[in-house]
Amino acid sequence: MSRILDTIESPDQLKNLTHDQLKQLAQEMRERLVETVYGVTGGHFSSNLGTVEIAIALHTVFDSPRDKIIWDVGHQAYPHKMLTGRNKLMHTIRQYGGLAPFLMREESPHDQFGAGHASTSISAALGMAVARDMQGEDYHVVAVIGDGALTGGMALEALNNLGHLGTKMIVLLNDNEMSIYPNVGVVPRLLTRLRTSRTYHRAKGDVVSILQRMPAGDALVELGKRFKDSVKELVIPNMMWEELGLTYLGPIDGHNLADLQETLTLAKQLDRPVLIHAITIKGKGFEPAEAESKTHKWHSVTPKSPGKSDNKPSAPRYQDVFAQTLIRLAEEDERIVGITAAMPDGTSLDQFGKRFPDRMFDVGIAEQHAVTFAAGLAAAGMRPVAAIYSTFLQRAYDQVVHDVAMQNLPVVFAMDRAGIAGNDGRTHHGALDISYLRCVPNMTLMAPKDENELQHMLKTALSLEGPAAIRYPRGNGYGVPLSETFHVIPVGTWELLQEGEDLLILATGYSVYQALEAAKILSKQDGIFATVVNCRFIKPLDEELLQKLVAKHDYLITVEENVRMGGFGSAVLESLADHSMVPSRFVRLGMPDRYVEHGSQEILRKILGLDAEGIAQTARELLYKTTDLRDKTLKDVHQR
Ligand SMILES: Cc1ncc(C[n+]2csc(CCOP(=O)(O)OP(=O)(O)O)c2C)c(N)n1
Ligand SMILES: CC(=O)[C@@H](O)[C@H](O)COP(=O)(O)O
Ligand SMILES: [Mg+2]
């Protein structure tokens, strides 16, 4: 049977559908999510099941792209993508060359603002609304934000400014009581009071009957009266929004299309900031996910045919080794505490929390607070470990510098997802942390070659009297044996893995084993023999070993999963330049000066020449090309 969904190329077409057809469309969209995300690509799942009616209501009440709809994060915007001409490509989402994992302005005119990192939508929407007013335009602006993203500082900063400016725009709060894990903090508690107030259900009936009977303006007056008189506990939290300068409409059922459309239609007519509080269920309509909607289990699903992993699928994940090691260390040192910014499962800190419930803190999507909270803990004698993805730590850069490093406080940053993060693409690669951390005075920066070395690095970091950061990749380790006891690695020492007279390869982190494999290929296929070094400290460098080795080699390659700009290779160059020792033939391999797209880690490493074959090929070009062609080599390398 042909599906209505298959006929939708543009949201304009929705306006010709009857209410029953729209409800049929919602059912088909859920089926499409199951067949593509659950069935093929993996990725964000339960959040998208929860926004089907919201997406339909927005695209029937508003006129995108003239009206601006800004989705927070974008992980829950696949229904929006389906309704805006991309349904036929849903089976490619997050895959290399396929639809982007989040919204991207370049992908569709309906994607008004790109995201991937949370809590940005209200700020962006307010910017667009103010621009509209300054340009004398009259389109509508709607920010769609989840209850988790609402705990982000940026969102609260934006609400503060929105209330101050009084700009006409709508904030549609998608409240499913969940972040990835159950939401944390007082904001969700306030929302719960609104959501569960016994009078909500009576008031809900009032709201719908009033809206159906009266023109908008009178309806609002009547609503206000009813709410003020009859819903005491609702009025208090409701007052909070009013005090913030927003007209609060809700809570309404976020899966009731008519309620959503009526409330959005009312809000559209109000010439002020409006917050609509929609209650939804994460996983709605797909029984297993709905049944476990209050767990993190269905936030993301794994692809049915995951790309070949560079590492052994049977090997433990770096994040699990991190968590298990932290538990062992915390058993010996009660000063150790763990901090996550709404990523207990992504960092595996939930394992630590199960063992030490009183020593694990999930602060919500609040990286800035997480870092300075850690600084406060350290200043008072604790040993905090802040487990924050490399990309999300970008949000707390000033806190790292100003609150931790400048005061030389012993905070450990466990930076997971460093380097190529894979299918989440450009917003989630840990592409910048070497560049943004190695320039911070007092910071020690380490990268383990495998999961075993991660164990000893955590021990080392916790032994230091100042800040330390450990960067490690998403996914499985190399399957090396783990240690039962942990030792401190002398700070600033590298590990000479093999010697060869033709070439020096300096590699750090994930790239070390790729470099060793490349050296094997070169010796077998090309008769080139390379020295390979595990440069496990990025700051401080092992300058003594570096100078000794460079003095013996004419050709040097550095390899890292970070942008070349200001990365590990730059650090090596700076150090050699300081000692007038820069070799004439030197290539820095790393991530290019552009935003690397989404795709499997394996594919992206191949494209960027960061896998073993890519490193070997660069070595061949470096050695076989004469000097005048070397620039060509560099250009080739840099264009990958
Ligand atoms: C700055 C930042 N920190 C952490 C994350 C990881 N993250 C992605 S979605 C999400 C939960 C969002 O919850 P909510 O806004 O309620 O949306 P829902 O999934 O419930 O629809 C988190 C923590 C992120 N994307 N950005
Ligand atoms: C949308 C978001 O930011 C998170 O859901 C993120 O995608 C999780 O990444 P991992 O799957 O690597 O834990
Ligand atoms: Mg939520």
Side-chain angles (χ1 to χ4, degrees):
M1 185 179 90
S2 77
R3 295 194 293 199
I4 299 171
L5 177 59
D6 297 337
T7 66
I8 304 296
E9 292 299 332
S10 155
D12 297 343
Q13 295 168 257
L14 299 177
K15 295 177 172 73
N16 309 321
L17 298 177
T18 65
H19 185 71
D20 288 346
Q21 285 175 316
L22 290 173
K23 289 179 75 171
Q24 170 63 25
L25 175 63
Q27 177 57 32
E28 293 171 359
M29 289 166 71
R30 288 191 164 93
E31 289 164 3
R32 185 73 173 138
L33 283 168
V34 173
E35 78 187 32
T36 53
V37 178
Y38 181 64
V40 176
T41 66
H44 298 101
F45 186 53
S46 58
S47 311
N48 285 293
L49 289 165
T51 62
V52 168
E53 284 79 15
I54 285 176
I56 294 174
L58 285 168
H59 283 297
T60 47
V61 171
F62 293 97
D63 179 21
S64 172
R66 181 173 186 282
D67 294 332
K68 317 286 179 208
I69 301 170
I70 296 97
W71 292 81
D72 208 283
V73 186
H75 68 299
Q76 84 292 46
Y78 297 6
H80 158 82
K81 291 200 181 203
M82 286 182 193
L83 298 177
T84 50
R86 290 166 276 182
N87 176 51
K88 291 188 174 58
L89 292 173
M90 283 307 295
H91 63 286
T92 70
I93 198 151
R94 298 173 83 244
Q95 312 305 295
Y96 181 69
L99 288 179
F102 308 103
L103 299 190
M104 270 174 62
R105 289 160 50 87
E106 308 92 299
E107 187 173 280
S108 166
H110 298 280
D111 292 6
Q112 301 287 355
F113 203 73
H117 287 194
S119 317
T120 63
S121 61
I122 302 173
S123 299
L126 180 54
M128 291 180 197
V130 167
R132 171 203 61 204
D133 297 346
M134 295 174 78
Q135 294 158 1
E137 294 288 346
D138 63 353
Y139 50 77
H140 296 281
V141 179
V142 184
V144 186
I145 186 167
D147 56 308
L150 190 64
T151 62
M154 269 191 77
L156 304 176
E157 292 165 14
L159 285 171
N160 179 55
N161 193 216
L162 171 59
H164 169 70
L165 292 175
T167 308
K168 173 184 172 64
M169 66 174 261
I170 297 167
V171 176
L172 175 51
L173 171 58
N174 171 26
D175 179 7
N176 52 25
E177 296 181 80
M178 288 293 286
S179 184
I180 293 180
Y181 251 55
N183 210 349
V184 294
V186 290
V187 169
R189 266 214 299 278
L190 161 78
L191 299 178
T192 300
R193 279 176 59 199
L194 284 165
R195 188 174 41 244
T196 53
S197 62
R198 61 181 179 291
T199 41
Y200 153 51
H201 302 291
R202 192 171 78 239
K204 177 172 173 285
D206 293 350
V207 167
V208 174
S209 63
I210 289 168
L211 287 173
Q212 277 163 348
R213 280 189 294 105
M214 294 176 156
D218 309 350
L220 189 72
V221 172
E222 183 58 25
L223 267 185
K225 275 200 312 197
R226 298 278 183 107
F227 271 129
K228 293 278 186 296
D229 303 346
S230 61
V231 180
K232 289 289 168 278
E233 59 272 32
L234 193 61
V235 164
I236 296 168
N238 188 358
M239 288 301 285
M240 187 208 96
W241 296 114
E242 305 286 345
E243 288 307 305
L244 274 175
L246 286 87
T247 296
Y248 173 86
L249 295 180
I252 63 170
D253 177 355
H255 298 300
N256 182 314
L257 195 51
D259 280 5
L260 279 166
Q261 289 173 317
E262 283 166 347
T263 310
L264 284 166
T265 302
L266 170 60
K268 198 174 163 180
Q269 295 161 37
L270 302 180
D271 192 16
R272 69 192 73 164
V274 177
L275 183 126
I276 297 173
H277 183 187
I279 313 298
T280 63
I281 298 169
K282 231 174 162 171
K284 175 78 176 176
F286 180 70
E287 198 282 327
E290 193 168 339
E292 299 181 292
S293 64
K294 295 296 183 286
T295 76
H296 65 283
K297 282 169 70 177
W298 294 87
H299 177 82
S300 284
V301 291
T302 49
K304 284 286 174 282
S305 51
K308 190 176 81 61
S309 159
D310 292 327
N311 301 3
K312 296 183 188 313
S314 56
R317 298 180 302 177
Y318 281 92
Q319 63 188 82
D320 296 324
V321 173
F322 155 71
Q324 291 308 315
T325 305
L326 188 65
I327 288 168
R328 294 273 307 283
L329 293 168
E331 280 160 350
E332 298 155 14
D333 184 345
E334 60 187 18
R335 299 174 303 161
I336 293 173
V337 293
I339 300 162
T340 177
M343 305 296 282
D345 60 322
T347 59
S348 286
L349 213 47
D350 53 354
Q351 297 171 27
F352 177 83
K354 284 193 180 73
R355 175 69 183 78
F356 298 108
D358 300 335
R359 292 162 63 180
M360 195 287 233
F361 298 92
D362 177 357
V363 298
I365 307 181
E367 287 81 4
Q368 295 178 331
H369 164 63
V371 171
T372 305
F373 174 56
L377 282 158
M382 302 304 284
R383 295 311 303 257
V385 176
I388 301 175
Y389 290 12
S390 161
T391 188
F392 297 147
L393 190 61
Q394 291 163 191
R395 181 153 290 177
Y397 187 54
D398 186 50
Q399 288 72 20
V400 169
V401 176
H402 177 267
D403 300 325
V404 175
M406 204 172 283
Q407 303 185 89
N408 202 26
L409 290 168
V411 173
V412 174
F413 296 101
M415 293 191 301
D416 197 339
R417 280 43 171 198
I420 293 167
N423 296 93
D424 272 343
R426 64 186 193 177
T427 54
H428 282 60
H429 297 310
L432 307 174
D433 64 77
I434 294 180
S435 306
Y436 73 69
L437 283 181
R438 74 179 184 87
C439 59
V440 176
N442 295 336
M443 182 61 71
T444 298
L445 178 56
M446 301 175 251
K449 67 175 184 294
D450 56 31
E451 62 272 33
N452 174 282
E453 194 164 57
L454 173 58
Q455 295 180 292
H456 307 298
M457 279 192 175
L458 191 51
K459 168 89 175 172
T460 304
L462 283 162
S463 73
L464 302 180
E465 283 319 306
I470 310 169
R471 72 184 316 255
Y472 49 93
R474 184 179 202 275
N476 303 83
Y478 280 94
V480 299
L482 294 178
S483 297
E484 275 309 304
T485 56
F486 314 128
H487 62 266
V488 171
I489 305 169
V491 173
T493 61
W494 289 351
E495 185 186 17
L496 179 56
L497 296 174
Q498 68 176 52
E499 293 202 76
E501 61 187 15
D502 300 322
L503 168 72
L504 173 58
I505 306 178
L506 302 176
T508 186
Y510 180 85
S511 305
V512 172
Y513 280 61
Q514 302 304 309
L516 277 173
E517 185 58 30
K520 256 194 222 136
I521 294 168
L522 288 166
S523 63
K524 275 199 199 119
Q525 293 178 13
D526 307 86
I528 294 174
F529 299 96
T531 295
V532 178
V533 184
N534 166 22
C535 304
R536 55 195 176 185
F537 284 89
I538 296 159
K539 182 175 189 183
L541 298 176
D542 186 340
E543 292 199 312
E544 186 186 337
L545 181 58
L546 172 61
Q547 290 164 27
K548 197 169 114 211
L549 293 173
V550 166
K552 293 195 290 185
H553 293 83
D554 294 332
Y555 299 91
L556 168 56
I557 295 177
T558 59
V559 197
E560 62 196 293
E561 284 201 9
N562 185 87
V563 289
R564 277 192 297 276
M565 200 76 80
F568 166 66
S570 299
V572 167
L573 260 179
E574 289 162 17
S575 171
L576 293 174
D578 289 349
H579 297 87
S580 311
M581 292 185 71
V582 180
S584 59
R585 292 184 176 79
F586 179 178
V587 171
R588 291 174 299 139
L589 280 176
M591 295 169 80
D593 184 23
R594 63 177 175 81
Y595 296 100
V596 172
E597 57 277 11
H598 50 283
S600 73
Q601 289 172 305
E602 180 208 9
I603 288 176
L604 296 179
R605 284 172 177 139
K606 187 172 289 302
I607 290 169
L608 297 175
L610 293 173
D611 60 357
E613 188 42 57
I615 298 169
Q617 184 53 27
T618 296
R620 293 187 192 103
E621 291 172 355
L622 186 62
L623 270 68
Y624 294 155
K625 294 281 187 290
T626 59
T627 307
D628 60 339
L629 290 180
R630 192 169 70 83
D631 290 347
K632 178 179 172 303
T633 305
L634 285 172
K635 241 196 326 294
D636 284 352
V637 167
H638 286 187
Q639 273 164 356
R640 278 199 190 106

